[in-house]
């Protein structure tokens, strides 16, 4: 990429460097949900209907917010941990913003916390920790469903996921 | 493979041909669940504890039985459709053994039918059809959970699966 820019597109590269510089200077974390934004509060946190929904979805990263927004099926607010609990790397509750989250939980207005951390070992541990936090603040917590991905074939799905799909089966 | 056998392992190839011939002659469908077996009833159908469980899991193929057995978490019986409903290819209820299935449902002894067809369009349609069949025989039917596979990352999961994971979330 560097050679291509040097040989063929020096003005493009200067534009790119300006854009990058601007982004680094103006994009910071939303004061409420900690995702990336240019404003004090991000667009989602400023939305009155989303606040009225009483739903708070906890995710690990701003990319997860994007993925969920693209489904067009969730109409609540977010809280972005910017990571997951990982004591071995020195990442405790403080580092993933759980003090701010506790503040929001005790401020009221949230009926349900949806734990949408990654379905990995660290993500599950983080979800478990936050669920206990919610319980101590008398806020309902739920975990997104584990199961077979749509369009897959049973035969190629790992045993752990299949076990979850069976234990989480729903009455029809 | 053919060249390798011809050049280096002619006795191995003769063994292989015998084994293949034997398999074609002796392996047929289980009379009860339609999976592959050498006996009249397969090992799973002969198991008294599995019969006592009252659970019947509907899958599309014998490979799915293997995948589910490997999880060691399911202790009921199976019914193998050997395909899925596909009117365009001339595969109707008769072809996937639903007449036999109806016989088992009306014979009693089944408390719950777990629909574990593939999470594809055809699999869903087949599950829906069988759920109606169960309802008409007053047998409970459930569908395996759709959701995020264990160990994955939210960001890379398709929107359809994410939507299912959200709508199927469970209270903690």
């Amino acid at each position: 990429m560097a050679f291509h820019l040097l040989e063929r597109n020096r003005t493009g590269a200067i534009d790119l460097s300006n854009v990058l510089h601007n982004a680094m200077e103006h994009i910071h974390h939303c004061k409420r949900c900690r995702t990336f934004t240019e404003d004090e509060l991000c667009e989602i946190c400023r939305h009155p209907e989303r606040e009225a929904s009483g739903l708070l979805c906890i995710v690990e990263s701003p990319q997860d917010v994007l993925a969920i927004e693209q489904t067009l099926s969730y109409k609540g607010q977010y809280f972005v941990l910017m990571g997951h609990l990982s004591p071995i790397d020195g990442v405790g509750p403080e580092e993933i913003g759980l003090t701010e989250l506790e503040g929001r939980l005790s401020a009221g207005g949230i009926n349900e916390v949806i734990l949408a951390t990654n379905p990995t070992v660290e993500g599950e541990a983080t979800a478990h920790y936050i669920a206990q936090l919610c319980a101590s603040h008398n806020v309902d917590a739920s975990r997104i469903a584990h199961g077979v991905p749509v369009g897959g074939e049973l035969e190629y799905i790992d045993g752990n996921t299949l076990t979850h799909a069976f234990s989480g089966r729903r009455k029809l």
Side-chain angles (χ1 to χ4, degrees), chain A:
Chain A
M1 199 174 123
F3 281 115
H4 174 85
L5 290 172
L6 279 168
E7 281 171 39
R8 320 216 169 171
N9 197 357
R10 285 184 175 243
T11 53
I14 287 170
D15 288 348
L16 185 64
S17 97
N18 288 335
V19 168
L20 195 60
H21 194 264
N22 268 335
M24 293 305 122
E25 244 175 16
H26 296 114
I27 295 180
H28 48 254
H29 293 285
C30 169
K31 275 210 169 169
R32 239 174 143 205
C33 74
R34 313 207 328 152
T35 194
F36 289 128
T37 177
E38 287 192 2
D39 309 302
E40 195 172 352
L41 286 183
C42 72
E43 226 175 298
I44 294 175
C45 284
R46 287 200 309 261
H47 204 296
E49 271 173 45
R50 284 176 178 267
E51 190 162 357
S53 74
L55 288 171
L56 184 67
C57 177
I58 315 269
V59 295
E60 290 188 20
S61 72
Q63 294 96 301
D64 297 340
V65 173
L66 266 186
I68 296 170
E69 281 301 297
Q70 275 163 7
T71 68
L72 301 173
S73 61
Y74 176 69
K75 295 282 169 231
Q77 294 191 299
Y78 292 94
F79 187 83
V80 184
L81 303 173
M82 305 297 300
H84 47 240
L85 286 179
S86 180
I88 245 175
D89 306 310
V91 182
E94 192 79 18
E95 283 73 24
I96 57 170
L98 295 193
T99 334
E100 284 103 310
L101 181 64
E102 277 203 82
R104 283 188 76 172
L105 290 179
S106 29
I110 294 164
N111 305 323
E112 183 183 350
V113 166
I114 301 175
L115 297 160
T117 50
N118 285 335
T120 54
V121 179
E122 296 89 353
E124 293 297 339
T126 309
H128 185 75
Y129 188 92
I130 300 175
Q132 288 184 315
L133 216 66
C134 292
S136 72
H137 285 80
N138 287 320
V139 174
D140 280 343
S142 60
R143 180 84 174 109
I144 52 167
H146 290 64
V148 294
V150 176
E153 290 194 29
L154 233 64
E155 172 186 358
Y156 302 113
I157 292 167
D158 66 291
N160 216 337
T161 300
L162 263 185
T163 304
H164 272 99
F166 264 77
S167 66
R169 65 182 184 270
R170 303 171 79 186
K171 284 250 150 109
L172 293 175

